Amino acid sequence: MAKNTSKSKTLPIYIINGPNLNLLGAREPSIYGHTTLGEIEKLCAARAKSHGLSAVFLQSNKEGELVEFLQEARTAASGVIINAAGYTHTSVAILDALQMLPLPVIEVHLSNPARREDFRHLSYVAKAATGTIAGLGVNSYLLAIDAVAAVLAGPKGTRK
Ligand code: CA2
């Protein structure tokens, strides 16, 4: 019998970044570090590649655009990593879009919101996330890629 040689490629991980993260590296390095968003993108691409995966890296300062990225991810992504930044703590629209995703969703933060002001303790994103990684700077993103790869690899105690 002829071998099926068609390769099914895994869809990319969408890595979605919210408002002001485009300014990373330029301001408040004591909280958010010195690494720019462009540098984080390169590190994420390399980490995804190490798992045989690819990444689409997105940023917007607009809530509606973030919702549109999430709607696109429904059919174009294998998983979503999201740092919704300030919208983490306010956006029901982003929560609604996340709840429509039949994909692993990892919430990430550079800082640890649990150690900061009370208004950062509520996360709407967490209500729809498979898991959350926070407080580890750039490593939060890299560990989130490892987490998506682990969920995609199969059932070892992880779930959507
Ligand atoms: O720690 C995180 O990753 C946050 O999502 C960052 C948000 C904050 O509102 C969340 O509570 C935690 C703020 C992003 C602001 O980005 C800046 C970038 C450069 C300089 C100042 C802020």
Side-chain angles (χ1 to χ4, degrees), residues 52-83:
L53 298 169
S54 62
V56 170
F57 205 85
L58 301 160
Q59 191 274 332
S60 178
N61 293 325
K62 302 186 184 88
E63 186 175 20
E65 271 185 20
L66 295 167
V67 168
E68 282 168 9
F69 295 158
L70 291 168
Q71 290 184 2
E72 185 181 301
R74 291 171 65 210
T75 53
S78 61
V80 166
I81 293 169
I82 181 163
N83 184 350

PDB file of all heavy atoms in Angstrom, residues 52-83:
ATOM      1  N   GLY A  52       9.381  22.014  18.042  1.00  0.00           N
ATOM      2  CA  GLY A  52       8.822  21.696  16.721  1.00  0.00           C
ATOM      3  C   GLY A  52       7.570  22.491  16.421  1.00  0.00           C
ATOM      4  O   GLY A  52       6.752  22.096  15.582  1.00  0.00           O
ATOM      5  N   LEU A  53       7.412  23.629  17.112  1.00  0.00           N
ATOM      6  CA  LEU A  53       6.223  24.473  16.937  1.00  0.00           C
ATOM      7  C   LEU A  53       6.629  25.833  16.372  1.00  0.00           C
ATOM      8  O   LEU A  53       7.811  26.176  16.322  1.00  0.00           O
ATOM      9  CB  LEU A  53       5.515  24.665  18.285  1.00  0.00           C
ATOM     10  CG  LEU A  53       4.987  23.388  18.953  1.00  0.00           C
ATOM     11  CD1 LEU A  53       4.552  23.666  20.379  1.00  0.00           C
ATOM     12  CD2 LEU A  53       3.819  22.814  18.145  1.00  0.00           C
ATOM     13  N   SER A  54       5.647  26.622  15.983  1.00  0.00           N
ATOM     14  CA  SER A  54       5.918  27.992  15.546  1.00  0.00           C
ATOM     15  C   SER A  54       5.017  28.937  16.339  1.00  0.00           C
ATOM     16  O   SER A  54       4.071  28.499  17.002  1.00  0.00           O
ATOM     17  CB  SER A  54       5.664  28.150  14.040  1.00  0.00           C
ATOM     18  OG  SER A  54       4.307  27.880  13.768  1.00  0.00           O
ATOM     19  N   ALA A  55       5.338  30.225  16.249  1.00  0.00           N
ATOM     20  CA  ALA A  55       4.578  31.212  17.023  1.00  0.00           C
ATOM     21  C   ALA A  55       4.236  32.414  16.156  1.00  0.00           C
ATOM     22  O   ALA A  55       5.036  32.838  15.325  1.00  0.00           O
ATOM     23  CB  ALA A  55       5.380  31.657  18.241  1.00  0.00           C
ATOM     24  N   VAL A  56       3.046  32.938  16.368  1.00  0.00           N
ATOM     25  CA  VAL A  56       2.647  34.225  15.778  1.00  0.00           C
ATOM     26  C   VAL A  56       2.554  35.197  16.945  1.00  0.00           C
ATOM     27  O   VAL A  56       1.819  34.948  17.913  1.00  0.00           O
ATOM     28  CB  VAL A  56       1.281  34.097  15.057  1.00  0.00           C
ATOM     29  CG1 VAL A  56       0.762  35.468  14.661  1.00  0.00           C
ATOM     30  CG2 VAL A  56       1.407  33.187  13.844  1.00  0.00           C
ATOM     31  N   PHE A  57       3.337  36.279  16.879  1.00  0.00           N
ATOM     32  CA  PHE A  57       3.463  37.203  18.017  1.00  0.00           C
ATOM     33  C   PHE A  57       2.690  38.474  17.702  1.00  0.00           C
ATOM     34  O   PHE A  57       2.949  39.127  16.679  1.00  0.00           O
ATOM     35  CB  PHE A  57       4.955  37.499  18.202  1.00  0.00           C
ATOM     36  CG  PHE A  57       5.329  37.905  19.587  1.00  0.00           C
ATOM     37  CD1 PHE A  57       5.598  36.958  20.567  1.00  0.00           C
ATOM     38  CD2 PHE A  57       5.443  39.238  19.917  1.00  0.00           C
ATOM     39  CE1 PHE A  57       5.973  37.338  21.849  1.00  0.00           C
ATOM     40  CE2 PHE A  57       5.814  39.631  21.195  1.00  0.00           C
ATOM     41  CZ  PHE A  57       6.081  38.671  22.164  1.00  0.00           C
ATOM     42  N   LEU A  58       1.753  38.844  18.548  1.00  0.00           N
ATOM     43  CA  LEU A  58       0.855  39.961  18.252  1.00  0.00           C
ATOM     44  C   LEU A  58       0.805  40.923  19.442  1.00  0.00           C
ATOM     45  O   LEU A  58       0.933  40.497  20.599  1.00  0.00           O
ATOM     46  CB  LEU A  58      -0.554  39.418  17.976  1.00  0.00           C
ATOM     47  CG  LEU A  58      -0.665  38.426  16.802  1.00  0.00           C
ATOM     48  CD1 LEU A  58      -1.936  37.603  16.925  1.00  0.00           C
ATOM     49  CD2 LEU A  58      -0.634  39.175  15.483  1.00  0.00           C
ATOM     50  N   GLN A  59       0.595  42.181  19.141  1.00  0.00           N
ATOM     51  CA  GLN A  59       0.408  43.186  20.214  1.00  0.00           C
ATOM     52  C   GLN A  59      -0.599  44.226  19.749  1.00  0.00           C
ATOM     53  O   GLN A  59      -0.597  44.637  18.586  1.00  0.00           O
ATOM     54  CB  GLN A  59       1.737  43.878  20.539  1.00  0.00           C
ATOM     55  CG  GLN A  59       1.726  44.747  21.807  1.00  0.00           C
ATOM     56  CD  GLN A  59       1.233  46.186  21.583  1.00  0.00           C
ATOM     57  OE1 GLN A  59       1.380  46.730  20.481  1.00  0.00           O
ATOM     58  NE2 GLN A  59       0.658  46.797  22.602  1.00  0.00           N
ATOM     59  N   SER A  60      -1.453  44.648  20.660  1.00  0.00           N
ATOM     60  CA  SER A  60      -2.320  45.782  20.365  1.00  0.00           C
ATOM     61  C   SER A  60      -2.618  46.545  21.645  1.00  0.00           C
ATOM     62  O   SER A  60      -2.675  45.976  22.740  1.00  0.00           O
ATOM     63  CB  SER A  60      -3.642  45.326  19.736  1.00  0.00           C
ATOM     64  OG  SER A  60      -4.456  46.472  19.511  1.00  0.00           O
ATOM     65  N   ASN A  61      -2.819  47.852  21.463  1.00  0.00           N
ATOM     66  CA  ASN A  61      -3.244  48.688  22.591  1.00  0.00           C
ATOM     67  C   ASN A  61      -4.765  48.794  22.649  1.00  0.00           C
ATOM     68  O   ASN A  61      -5.311  49.453  23.529  1.00  0.00           O
ATOM     69  CB  ASN A  61      -2.637  50.087  22.447  1.00  0.00           C
ATOM     70  CG  ASN A  61      -1.124  50.056  22.604  1.00  0.00           C
ATOM     71  OD1 ASN A  61      -0.604  49.263  23.395  1.00  0.00           O
ATOM     72  ND2 ASN A  61      -0.417  50.877  21.853  1.00  0.00           N
ATOM     73  N   LYS A  62      -5.456  48.126  21.694  1.00  0.00           N
ATOM     74  CA  LYS A  62      -6.911  48.270  21.594  1.00  0.00           C
ATOM     75  C   LYS A  62      -7.623  46.978  21.978  1.00  0.00           C
ATOM     76  O   LYS A  62      -7.330  45.904  21.435  1.00  0.00           O
ATOM     77  CB  LYS A  62      -7.284  48.652  20.164  1.00  0.00           C
ATOM     78  CG  LYS A  62      -6.626  49.931  19.685  1.00  0.00           C
ATOM     79  CD  LYS A  62      -7.163  50.326  18.318  1.00  0.00           C
ATOM     80  CE  LYS A  62      -6.448  51.543  17.779  1.00  0.00           C
ATOM     81  NZ  LYS A  62      -5.244  51.231  17.029  1.00  0.00           N
ATOM     82  N   GLU A  63      -8.593  47.092  22.867  1.00  0.00           N
ATOM     83  CA  GLU A  63      -9.318  45.919  23.365  1.00  0.00           C
ATOM     84  C   GLU A  63      -9.978  45.144  22.210  1.00  0.00           C
ATOM     85  O   GLU A  63      -9.898  43.916  22.151  1.00  0.00           O
ATOM     86  CB  GLU A  63     -10.375  46.398  24.368  1.00  0.00           C
ATOM     87  CG  GLU A  63     -11.111  45.291  25.082  1.00  0.00           C
ATOM     88  CD  GLU A  63     -12.065  45.848  26.144  1.00  0.00           C
ATOM     89  OE1 GLU A  63     -12.427  47.045  26.067  1.00  0.00           O
ATOM     90  OE2 GLU A  63     -12.442  45.088  27.046  1.00  0.00           O
ATOM     91  N   GLY A  64     -10.629  45.894  21.295  1.00  0.00           N
ATOM     92  CA  GLY A  64     -11.337  45.229  20.186  1.00  0.00           C
ATOM     93  C   GLY A  64     -10.386  44.457  19.282  1.00  0.00           C
ATOM     94  O   GLY A  64     -10.740  43.389  18.769  1.00  0.00           O
ATOM     95  N   GLU A  65      -9.191  44.977  19.081  1.00  0.00           N
ATOM     96  CA  GLU A  65      -8.208  44.249  18.244  1.00  0.00           C
ATOM     97  C   GLU A  65      -7.756  42.973  18.940  1.00  0.00           C
ATOM     98  O   GLU A  65      -7.555  41.943  18.296  1.00  0.00           O
ATOM     99  CB  GLU A  65      -6.997  45.124  17.936  1.00  0.00           C
ATOM    100  CG  GLU A  65      -7.193  45.946  16.689  1.00  0.00           C
ATOM    101  CD  GLU A  65      -5.944  46.734  16.290  1.00  0.00           C
ATOM    102  OE1 GLU A  65      -4.832  46.394  16.718  1.00  0.00           O
ATOM    103  OE2 GLU A  65      -6.116  47.709  15.556  1.00  0.00           O
ATOM    104  N   LEU A  66      -7.616  43.026  20.248  1.00  0.00           N
ATOM    105  CA  LEU A  66      -7.234  41.819  20.995  1.00  0.00           C
ATOM    106  C   LEU A  66      -8.329  40.763  20.861  1.00  0.00           C
ATOM    107  O   LEU A  66      -8.050  39.574  20.673  1.00  0.00           O
ATOM    108  CB  LEU A  66      -6.974  42.164  22.463  1.00  0.00           C
ATOM    109  CG  LEU A  66      -5.771  43.104  22.688  1.00  0.00           C
ATOM    110  CD1 LEU A  66      -5.768  43.650  24.109  1.00  0.00           C
ATOM    111  CD2 LEU A  66      -4.455  42.396  22.390  1.00  0.00           C
ATOM    112  N   VAL A  67      -9.592  41.200  20.915  1.00  0.00           N
ATOM    113  CA  VAL A  67     -10.720  40.275  20.716  1.00  0.00           C
ATOM    114  C   VAL A  67     -10.646  39.668  19.312  1.00  0.00           C
ATOM    115  O   VAL A  67     -10.854  38.460  19.125  1.00  0.00           O
ATOM    116  CB  VAL A  67     -12.063  41.009  20.942  1.00  0.00           C
ATOM    117  CG1 VAL A  67     -13.238  40.170  20.454  1.00  0.00           C
ATOM    118  CG2 VAL A  67     -12.241  41.351  22.416  1.00  0.00           C
ATOM    119  N   GLU A  68     -10.315  40.490  18.318  1.00  0.00           N
ATOM    120  CA  GLU A  68     -10.218  39.970  16.938  1.00  0.00           C
ATOM    121  C   GLU A  68      -9.081  38.953  16.795  1.00  0.00           C
ATOM    122  O   GLU A  68      -9.236  37.941  16.105  1.00  0.00           O
ATOM    123  CB  GLU A  68     -10.070  41.122  15.937  1.00  0.00           C
ATOM    124  CG  GLU A  68     -11.418  41.784  15.699  1.00  0.00           C
ATOM    125  CD  GLU A  68     -11.333  43.107  14.948  1.00  0.00           C
ATOM    126  OE1 GLU A  68     -10.245  43.453  14.450  1.00  0.00           O
ATOM    127  OE2 GLU A  68     -12.367  43.784  14.869  1.00  0.00           O
ATOM    128  N   PHE A  69      -7.947  39.198  17.451  1.00  0.00           N
ATOM    129  CA  PHE A  69      -6.863  38.197  17.422  1.00  0.00           C
ATOM    130  C   PHE A  69      -7.375  36.862  17.989  1.00  0.00           C
ATOM    131  O   PHE A  69      -7.062  35.796  17.463  1.00  0.00           O
ATOM    132  CB  PHE A  69      -5.666  38.642  18.279  1.00  0.00           C
ATOM    133  CG  PHE A  69      -4.930  39.872  17.802  1.00  0.00           C
ATOM    134  CD1 PHE A  69      -4.171  40.619  18.698  1.00  0.00           C
ATOM    135  CD2 PHE A  69      -4.961  40.284  16.478  1.00  0.00           C
ATOM    136  CE1 PHE A  69      -3.457  41.744  18.289  1.00  0.00           C
ATOM    137  CE2 PHE A  69      -4.253  41.417  16.052  1.00  0.00           C
ATOM    138  CZ  PHE A  69      -3.513  42.145  16.964  1.00  0.00           C
ATOM    139  N   LEU A  70      -8.136  36.951  19.078  1.00  0.00           N
ATOM    140  CA  LEU A  70      -8.628  35.725  19.724  1.00  0.00           C
ATOM    141  C   LEU A  70      -9.644  35.009  18.830  1.00  0.00           C
ATOM    142  O   LEU A  70      -9.650  33.776  18.749  1.00  0.00           O
ATOM    143  CB  LEU A  70      -9.237  36.053  21.089  1.00  0.00           C
ATOM    144  CG  LEU A  70      -8.211  36.494  22.141  1.00  0.00           C
ATOM    145  CD1 LEU A  70      -8.895  37.088  23.368  1.00  0.00           C
ATOM    146  CD2 LEU A  70      -7.323  35.316  22.545  1.00  0.00           C
ATOM    147  N   GLN A  71     -10.480  35.773  18.142  1.00  0.00           N
ATOM    148  CA  GLN A  71     -11.449  35.150  17.229  1.00  0.00           C
ATOM    149  C   GLN A  71     -10.710  34.431  16.097  1.00  0.00           C
ATOM    150  O   GLN A  71     -11.078  33.335  15.697  1.00  0.00           O
ATOM    151  CB  GLN A  71     -12.405  36.193  16.677  1.00  0.00           C
ATOM    152  CG  GLN A  71     -13.365  36.710  17.732  1.00  0.00           C
ATOM    153  CD  GLN A  71     -14.395  37.674  17.177  1.00  0.00           C
ATOM    154  OE1 GLN A  71     -14.424  37.950  15.984  1.00  0.00           O
ATOM    155  NE2 GLN A  71     -15.236  38.190  18.054  1.00  0.00           N
ATOM    156  N   GLU A  72      -9.657  35.071  15.584  1.00  0.00           N
ATOM    157  CA  GLU A  72      -8.856  34.459  14.512  1.00  0.00           C
ATOM    158  C   GLU A  72      -8.185  33.175  15.017  1.00  0.00           C
ATOM    159  O   GLU A  72      -8.089  32.184  14.293  1.00  0.00           O
ATOM    160  CB  GLU A  72      -7.800  35.483  14.077  1.00  0.00           C
ATOM    161  CG  GLU A  72      -6.957  35.060  12.902  1.00  0.00           C
ATOM    162  CD  GLU A  72      -5.920  36.138  12.581  1.00  0.00           C
ATOM    163  OE1 GLU A  72      -6.305  37.286  12.301  1.00  0.00           O
ATOM    164  OE2 GLU A  72      -4.722  35.817  12.630  1.00  0.00           O
ATOM    165  N   ALA A  73      -7.747  33.191  16.269  1.00  0.00           N
ATOM    166  CA  ALA A  73      -7.040  32.038  16.844  1.00  0.00           C
ATOM    167  C   ALA A  73      -7.917  30.786  16.873  1.00  0.00           C
ATOM    168  O   ALA A  73      -7.404  29.663  16.838  1.00  0.00           O
ATOM    169  CB  ALA A  73      -6.566  32.366  18.257  1.00  0.00           C
ATOM    170  N   ARG A  74      -9.237  30.964  16.887  1.00  0.00           N
ATOM    171  CA  ARG A  74     -10.139  29.797  16.967  1.00  0.00           C
ATOM    172  C   ARG A  74      -9.834  28.788  15.882  1.00  0.00           C
ATOM    173  O   ARG A  74      -9.899  27.585  16.108  1.00  0.00           O
ATOM    174  CB  ARG A  74     -11.596  30.230  16.866  1.00  0.00           C
ATOM    175  CG  ARG A  74     -12.069  31.005  18.080  1.00  0.00           C
ATOM    176  CD  ARG A  74     -13.438  31.598  17.856  1.00  0.00           C
ATOM    177  NE  ARG A  74     -14.455  30.573  17.700  1.00  0.00           N
ATOM    178  CZ  ARG A  74     -15.555  30.714  16.968  1.00  0.00           C
ATOM    179  NH1 ARG A  74     -15.796  31.822  16.318  1.00  0.00           N
ATOM    180  NH2 ARG A  74     -16.430  29.738  16.904  1.00  0.00           N
ATOM    181  N   THR A  75      -9.525  29.271  14.686  1.00  0.00           N
ATOM    182  CA  THR A  75      -9.269  28.340  13.575  1.00  0.00           C
ATOM    183  C   THR A  75      -7.813  28.367  13.102  1.00  0.00           C
ATOM    184  O   THR A  75      -7.411  27.496  12.335  1.00  0.00           O
ATOM    185  CB  THR A  75     -10.167  28.681  12.365  1.00  0.00           C
ATOM    186  OG1 THR A  75      -9.998  30.070  12.053  1.00  0.00           O
ATOM    187  CG2 THR A  75     -11.622  28.385  12.671  1.00  0.00           C
ATOM    188  N   ALA A  76      -7.029  29.354  13.544  1.00  0.00           N
ATOM    189  CA  ALA A  76      -5.678  29.512  12.986  1.00  0.00           C
ATOM    190  C   ALA A  76      -4.568  29.121  13.958  1.00  0.00           C
ATOM    191  O   ALA A  76      -3.396  29.111  13.575  1.00  0.00           O
ATOM    192  CB  ALA A  76      -5.472  30.965  12.552  1.00  0.00           C
ATOM    193  N   ALA A  77      -4.914  28.801  15.212  1.00  0.00           N
ATOM    194  CA  ALA A  77      -3.877  28.540  16.219  1.00  0.00           C
ATOM    195  C   ALA A  77      -4.063  27.169  16.870  1.00  0.00           C
ATOM    196  O   ALA A  77      -5.168  26.619  16.895  1.00  0.00           O
ATOM    197  CB  ALA A  77      -3.918  29.630  17.293  1.00  0.00           C
ATOM    198  N   SER A  78      -2.947  26.648  17.406  1.00  0.00           N
ATOM    199  CA  SER A  78      -3.029  25.391  18.171  1.00  0.00           C
ATOM    200  C   SER A  78      -3.141  25.682  19.667  1.00  0.00           C
ATOM    201  O   SER A  78      -3.501  24.805  20.453  1.00  0.00           O
ATOM    202  CB  SER A  78      -1.801  24.528  17.910  1.00  0.00           C
ATOM    203  OG  SER A  78      -0.640  25.225  18.318  1.00  0.00           O
ATOM    204  N   GLY A  79      -2.801  26.907  20.059  1.00  0.00           N
ATOM    205  CA  GLY A  79      -2.875  27.302  21.457  1.00  0.00           C
ATOM    206  C   GLY A  79      -2.692  28.803  21.540  1.00  0.00           C
ATOM    207  O   GLY A  79      -2.232  29.439  20.581  1.00  0.00           O
ATOM    208  N   VAL A  80      -3.050  29.367  22.680  1.00  0.00           N
ATOM    209  CA  VAL A  80      -2.939  30.823  22.876  1.00  0.00           C
ATOM    210  C   VAL A  80      -2.197  31.105  24.182  1.00  0.00           C
ATOM    211  O   VAL A  80      -2.462  30.484  25.209  1.00  0.00           O
ATOM    212  CB  VAL A  80      -4.345  31.475  22.907  1.00  0.00           C
ATOM    213  CG1 VAL A  80      -4.283  32.898  23.436  1.00  0.00           C
ATOM    214  CG2 VAL A  80      -4.965  31.452  21.516  1.00  0.00           C
ATOM    215  N   ILE A  81      -1.249  32.039  24.071  1.00  0.00           N
ATOM    216  CA  ILE A  81      -0.584  32.597  25.257  1.00  0.00           C
ATOM    217  C   ILE A  81      -0.973  34.065  25.279  1.00  0.00           C
ATOM    218  O   ILE A  81      -0.832  34.754  24.258  1.00  0.00           O
ATOM    219  CB  ILE A  81       0.938  32.410  25.146  1.00  0.00           C
ATOM    220  CG1 ILE A  81       1.281  30.914  25.221  1.00  0.00           C
ATOM    221  CG2 ILE A  81       1.671  33.203  26.235  1.00  0.00           C
ATOM    222  CD1 ILE A  81       2.717  30.583  24.857  1.00  0.00           C
ATOM    223  N   ILE A  82      -1.480  34.528  26.403  1.00  0.00           N
ATOM    224  CA  ILE A  82      -1.957  35.918  26.432  1.00  0.00           C
ATOM    225  C   ILE A  82      -1.475  36.660  27.668  1.00  0.00           C
ATOM    226  O   ILE A  82      -1.626  36.167  28.796  1.00  0.00           O
ATOM    227  CB  ILE A  82      -3.508  35.988  26.288  1.00  0.00           C
ATOM    228  CG1 ILE A  82      -3.968  37.453  26.298  1.00  0.00           C
ATOM    229  CG2 ILE A  82      -4.229  35.140  27.324  1.00  0.00           C
ATOM    230  CD1 ILE A  82      -5.371  37.675  25.769  1.00  0.00           C
ATOM    231  N   ASN A  83      -0.854  37.816  27.408  1.00  0.00           N
ATOM    232  CA  ASN A  83      -0.610  38.805  28.446  1.00  0.00           C
ATOM    233  C   ASN A  83      -1.519  39.980  28.098  1.00  0.00           C
ATOM    234  O   ASN A  83      -1.170  40.813  27.255  1.00  0.00           O
ATOM    235  CB  ASN A  83       0.855  39.239  28.481  1.00  0.00           C
ATOM    236  CG  ASN A  83       1.123  40.209  29.635  1.00  0.00           C
ATOM    237  OD1 ASN A  83       0.186  40.681  30.280  1.00  0.00           O
ATOM    238  ND2 ASN A  83       2.383  40.507  29.884  1.00  0.00           N
TER     239      ASN A  83
END
